[in-house]
Amino acid sequence: MGKQVLKLTLPQLSFSVLFFFIFFSSVCSDQPSKTFIFRVDSHSKPSVFTTHYHWYTSEFAQQDTILHVYDTVFHGFSAFLTPQQVASISTHPSVLAVFEDRRRHLHTTRSPQFLGLRNQRGLWSESDYGSDVIIGVFDTGVWPEHRSFSDLNLGPIPRRWKGACETGARFSPKNCNRKLIGARFFSKGHEAGAASGPLNPINDTVEFRSPRDADGHGTHTASTAAGRYAFQANMSGYASGIAKGVAPKARLAVYKVCWKNAGCFDSDILAAFDNAVADGVDVISISIGGGDGIASPYYLDPIAIGSYGAVSRGVFVSSSAGNDGPSGMSVTNLAPWLTTVGAGTIDRDFPAQVILGNGRKLSGVSLYSGAALSGKMYQLVYPGKSGILGDSLCMENSLDPNLVKGKIVVCDRGSSPRVAKGLVVKKAGGVGMILANGISNGEGLVGDAHLLPACAVGANEGDAIKKYISTSANPTATLDFKGTILGIKPAPVIASFSARGPNGLNPQLLKPDLIAPGVNIIAAWTDAVGPTGLDSDTRRTEFNILSGTSMACPHVSGAAALLKSAHPDWSPAAIRSALMTTATVLDNRNQVMTDEATGNSSTPYDFGAGHLNLGRALDPGLVYDITNNDYVNFLCGIGYGPKVIQVITRTPATCPVRKPSPENLNYPSFVAMFPVSSKGVASKTFIRTVTNVGSANAVYRVSVEAPASGVTVTVKPSRLVFSEAVKKRSYVVTVAGDTRNLKMGQSGAVFGSLTWTDGKHVVRSPIVVTQIEPL
């Protein structure tokens, strides 16, 4: 791959350019109505109108076209309008920006101990298990009767709570309690999208018009963040033990913004942000992203806009990094006020074996729990030998029953859900399936509760099986399922699907921020569908095992709740700093974490600051805090003008006369970008300020792990002295190197670290050095 060159363009947009960009393809006279989101300058409301809603319905859009009115994290409204109506409204002087509603996608028991949480001491005991902190979960809803949401022995609902328990299909006020203190649902954006496009409207036979979860994903993420202790938990015998969330006594408020088989719409997500902050949540967990591989500028991204409104009011927002790894620059949810979470494995696995007729045994994973094959050998077939892509992928109606009946079928991973391939094989008469990774997935494996005996294998094992089939006169195989194995080494390992850096929008900001457990995570499940989520799966299970950065994100949400409970005065940036600077880059062999996709050592482009380590986060020593004004200066530094910034911040912004350096955002990481055109020594300077949250009288000394030979990192001062009177200290970092001799790694960067320590605390920040083309 060699040297990676990033081509950057800064969106220095004039107001007219912003509108031209949005409406260029939308003003055709024959286009139908669609949903648009309008950002309005709230200060422009004439005093004659008592509310913004009255103003909007009088001057902008008719009452029956408005879907949501936003007035907490965002000022404006969403409406279902024709392109002509939108073009007319956009000329109103109070309209700051308009963008079309988009569809987003979900980024889909033992993990608390793996994070360093223990019952008798540390963050759980110091925070009282997150008691009275309120976590808002944006997802597919909740199955409220699940015992993970019991309110047994919980105290009264916090008085500051202003939320509601909305009613609807199979959901009444009685479904909320002192644990599940609020539940709302948002469907207007989805229903408008269904009216104007290829989506189907909500199907009341498989979905609930209420906060009730028909999909399972939301129940799983909510219980991962804050589920109560659930004894004798398992998924069809797998992962038996006590299931519990990271913050078992935290309160939950559920905001259903995603709908079964339909995704999640920006207009509904923004309404959830608006309501959640007004309701009084302390933490927001959002395992949702674009999923299209394209990072939108912050002023066109309602998740970035809504989360800024939340963070600016003291609400911590945790988001999933996305599942498009191991490709570089695949990370999503890039705003600097978001905490972006990738996924790693834990020290538990569900191994299975493929035993070939020649005696060779190949390792894989599976969560199959039905009747075993009991060592019986079956004929082995690979439909992909035909050369037809649909056959190799085992797509619907692609398999010839005459070819696969009574046999074990090899299917390639991709294009359709993994469990759906097994159903195709079963319908065609196959007795088992081997699901083989392609080169893009490498050796990364996740377990699935298949409907027939099935085993997932890595790309190398898959190639070996296919070679055996092509060279054997009578290829045979059987599958052997090994149950649950604990104490797996190495762990954690970076999940192959976990989205990777560099940051495709602003590479001077390292994303993801950190990783957390996201592979084969057991948590609560809905009673509406089986563990595969397939309509034909009639099984029901109290708990399910899922993988994805969707599962990693609520681990960090729960961690933030614990820290918020232990340190109520900490800002969202201080909480993120504590999680990042105490994260570990080592696995349980005391070696640098490996990348599941390649087997090689991972880098900060894969894991950010490292893997979540709550054993140390309670007492980080120093934190890097960030104010709202700091974020505004960052936006000025990347070329946003005051009007564009106001689209994000809601309030008017002023940029300094001297353009700020975006690298000086007080972030707990450093990215030094040298221009490719530089033919000598290049350097980059950073300014950081740390706040002492440990012992009042402390002296910290710096140590540096240089990114590569030929790169120097200088820190001044090299010693920071704190006292009762002095809580904050600033320092300057200079990263320099001769670009003629710099040899970038395969990722296009080299990596190091900067660490402050006082003998007790270790405050570590990653350093990335890369090269870019000049603007």
Side-chain angles (χ1 to χ4, degrees):
M1 183 174 175
K3 185 178 293 184
Q4 179 172 320
V5 178
L6 304 177
K7 294 185 178 180
L8 307 179
T9 56
L10 291 180
Q12 296 175 321
L13 297 176
S14 70
F15 217 37
S16 59
V17 171
L18 179 59
F19 283 120
F20 177 79
F21 173 77
I22 296 166
F23 292 119
F24 180 73
S25 61
S26 301
V27 294
C28 298
S29 59
D30 59 347
Q31 286 199 343
S33 295
K34 294 181 179 180
T35 301
F36 290 84
I37 301 170
F38 296 81
R39 166 66 106 176
V40 180
D41 182 358
S42 63
H43 303 287
S44 300
K45 180 180 75 67
S47 59
V48 66
F49 298 108
T50 56
T51 67
H52 285 88
Y53 176 77
H54 291 139
W55 180 33
Y56 300 153
T57 55
S58 297
E59 290 194 19
F60 298 92
Q62 294 180 355
Q63 183 174 343
D64 60 351
T65 65
I66 289 182
L67 304 180
H68 298 293
V69 171
Y70 313 107
D71 56 14
T72 303
V73 303
F74 180 90
H75 270 303
F77 62 94
S78 56
F80 190 62
L81 302 167
T82 66
Q84 293 81 11
Q85 291 172 313
V86 175
S88 175
I89 294 171
S90 70
T91 63
H92 194 290
S94 297
V95 174
L96 297 176
V98 188
F99 31 95
E100 188 175 325
D101 204 7
R102 286 193 307 160
R103 183 159 57 135
R104 307 281 183 138
H105 301 280
L106 294 161
H107 286 153
T108 204
T109 60
R110 183 173 155 78
S111 44
Q113 286 89 341
F114 189 68
L115 296 175
L117 291 171
R118 298 291 185 269
N119 285 335
Q120 302 304 319
R121 55 185 170 79
L123 189 48
W124 258 349
S125 58
E126 291 292 331
S127 67
D128 190 23
Y129 300 84
S131 179
D132 289 352
V133 175
I134 303 167
I135 302 175
V137 180
F138 294 10
D139 215 294
T140 63
V142 67
W143 196 262
E145 294 86 1
H146 199 285
R147 56 187 168 123
S148 292
F149 310 121
S150 165
D151 65 355
L152 182 66
N153 297 325
L154 283 181
I157 295 171
R159 290 184 178 180
R160 68 184 185 283
W161 177 245
K162 301 181 181 69
C165 189
E166 295 182 352
T167 60
R170 291 191 60 188
F171 209 96
S172 74
K174 292 181 180 180
N175 288 124
C176 292
N177 57 25
R178 296 190 308 276
K179 175 66 175 180
L180 180 63
I181 64 174
R184 297 184 186 271
F185 65 103
F186 304 86
S187 61
K188 292 178 180 178
H190 169 264
E191 303 217 53
S196 63
L199 280 180
N200 294 319
I202 293 174
N203 184 345
D204 292 320
T205 63
V206 297
E207 179 58 280
F208 304 102
R209 292 178 190 266
S210 74
R212 185 171 289 278
D213 183 9
D215 179 271
H217 192 279
T219 300
H220 197 281
T221 56
S223 64
T224 299
R228 300 298 302 275
Y229 276 69
F231 296 90
Q232 296 181 335
N234 67 87
M235 197 287 289
S236 300
Y238 287 97
S240 297
I242 303 171
K244 52 193 170 295
V246 177
K249 290 175 71 173
R251 313 308 173 107
L252 280 167
V254 166
Y255 299 82
K256 182 176 178 177
V257 297
C258 302
W259 297 82
K260 189 175 176 68
N261 302 324
C264 338
F265 278 81
D266 280 342
S267 56
D268 293 334
I269 294 171
L270 198 52
F273 271 114
D274 214 53
N275 279 269
V277 174
D279 288 346
V281 302
D282 302 298
V283 173
I284 289 173
S285 186
I286 178 167
S287 294
I288 300 168
D292 53 10
I294 301 173
S296 298
Y298 307 131
Y299 56 81
L300 294 178
D301 181 355
I303 290 181
I305 294 170
S307 61
Y308 179 87
V311 170
S312 67
R313 288 163 177 76
V315 178
F316 180 94
V317 183
S318 174
S319 60
S320 48
N323 296 340
D324 290 330
S327 300
M329 211 182 295
S330 53
V331 62
T332 187
N333 289 326
L334 301 173
W337 44 86
L338 280 169
T339 299
T340 308
V341 188
T345 66
I346 61 174
D347 61 344
R348 177 184 64 202
D349 204 3
F350 309 105
Q353 276 189 334
V354 177
I355 304 173
L356 301 179
N358 61 8
R360 185 174 180 183
K361 297 180 179 180
L362 300 169
S363 296
V365 300
S366 181
L367 293 170
Y368 172 71
S369 59
L373 298 183
S374 303
K376 183 178 178 180
M377 303 298 289
Y378 292 86
Q379 279 194 294
L380 187 60
V381 62
Y382 175 49
K385 289 175 64 177
S386 67
I388 300 174
L389 183 61
D391 292 355
S392 70
L393 295 169
C394 298
M395 302 295 283
E396 187 72 28
N397 299 319
S398 67
L399 299 183
D400 181 357
N402 295 321
L403 175 68
V404 306
K405 187 175 182 180
K407 300 174 184 178
I408 294 175
V409 182
V410 178
C411 299
D412 288 335
R413 183 174 169 180
S415 297
S416 62
R418 300 181 300 271
V419 291
K421 296 176 188 293
L423 180 59
V424 171
V425 172
K426 185 176 182 180
K427 285 181 177 178
V431 298
M433 178 182 70
I434 298 170
L435 184 63
N437 280 0
I439 190 170
S440 62
N441 298 112
E443 304 309 305
L445 300 176
V446 293
D448 291 299
H450 290 284
L451 290 163
L452 83 171
C455 174
V457 298
N460 293 335
E461 287 83 354
D463 289 344
I465 294 169
K466 293 170 190 174
K467 183 177 180 180
Y468 166 70
I469 293 172
S470 65
T471 58
S472 174
N474 182 34
T476 60
T478 191
L479 304 177
D480 186 22
F481 305 100
K482 302 290 188 180
T484 304
I485 304 294
L486 303 179
I488 296 293
K489 291 186 178 183
V493 170
I494 313 301
S496 63
F497 60 77
S498 186
R500 315 300 172 93
N503 181 331
L505 202 56
N506 296 112
Q508 59 270 72
L509 189 74
L510 181 63
K511 289 284 183 175
D513 291 310
L514 74 168
I515 66 168
V519 178
N520 294 333
I521 303 302
I522 187 168
W525 193 242
T526 178
D527 200 42
V529 295
T532 64
L534 298 173
D535 292 338
S536 58
D537 188 353
T538 59
R539 299 172 297 174
R540 293 297 180 265
T541 180
E542 189 183 17
F543 296 87
N544 201 3
I545 296 172
L546 299 182
S547 299
T549 55
S550 277
M551 283 63 252
C553 170
H555 279 88
V556 170
S557 307
L562 295 179
L563 288 177
K564 186 71 175 178
S565 182
H567 303 287
D569 57 332
W570 281 12
S571 70
I575 292 172
R576 175 177 59 196
S577 174
L579 297 175
M580 289 177 65
T581 61
T582 60
T584 181
V585 299
L586 303 178
D587 60 25
N588 54 8
R589 305 170 303 171
N590 209 33
Q591 299 177 21
V592 175
M593 290 183 289
T594 57
D595 181 348
E596 187 179 46
T598 64
N600 300 327
S601 294
S602 54
T603 75
Y605 277 168
D606 306 320
F607 57 69
H611 189 280
L612 182 64
N613 180 9
L614 291 181
R616 293 176 50 212
L618 172 67
D619 183 19
L622 305 175
V623 295
Y624 294 81
D625 211 351
I626 303 177
T627 66
N628 295 341
N629 193 56
D630 293 332
Y631 288 126
V632 169
N633 284 339
F634 171 84
L635 296 173
C636 294
I638 62 173
Y640 288 14
K643 284 289 186 182
V644 174
I645 293 174
Q646 189 179 351
V647 172
I648 301 166
T649 62
R650 193 179 66 157
T651 55
T654 303
C655 288
V657 175
R658 184 177 180 181
K659 185 178 178 181
S661 170
E663 290 89 349
N664 284 340
L665 181 68
N666 202 39
Y667 221 75
S669 58
F670 302 86
V671 180
M673 299 190 300
F674 296 153
V676 170
S677 58
S678 177
K679 301 302 180 184
V681 175
S683 66
K684 182 66 69 173
T685 299
F686 307 83
I687 301 172
R688 292 290 188 272
T689 300
V690 288
T691 303
N692 181 22
V693 294
S695 302
N697 298 300
V699 178
Y700 282 82
R701 291 174 173 81
V702 73
S703 62
V704 171
E705 177 192 351
S709 60
V711 177
T712 61
V713 180
T714 306
V715 182
K716 293 183 178 180
S718 59
R719 182 171 169 267
L720 301 176
V721 180
F722 298 92
S723 65
E724 290 279 2
V726 180
K727 301 289 186 184
K728 295 179 181 287
R729 289 287 189 189
S730 297
Y731 65 93
V732 177
V733 179
T734 302
V735 180
D738 190 334
T739 56
R740 294 168 297 188
N741 301 322
L742 273 180
K743 294 182 179 180
M744 298 298 175
Q746 189 175 11
S747 62
V750 290
F751 308 93
S753 64
L754 180 155
T755 303
W756 291 99
T757 182
D758 64 349
K760 175 185 177 183
H761 304 96
V762 178
V763 188
R764 184 184 182 279
S765 294
I767 299 174
V768 179
V769 179
T770 187
Q771 290 187 277
I772 63 165
E773 283 190 353
L775 297 175

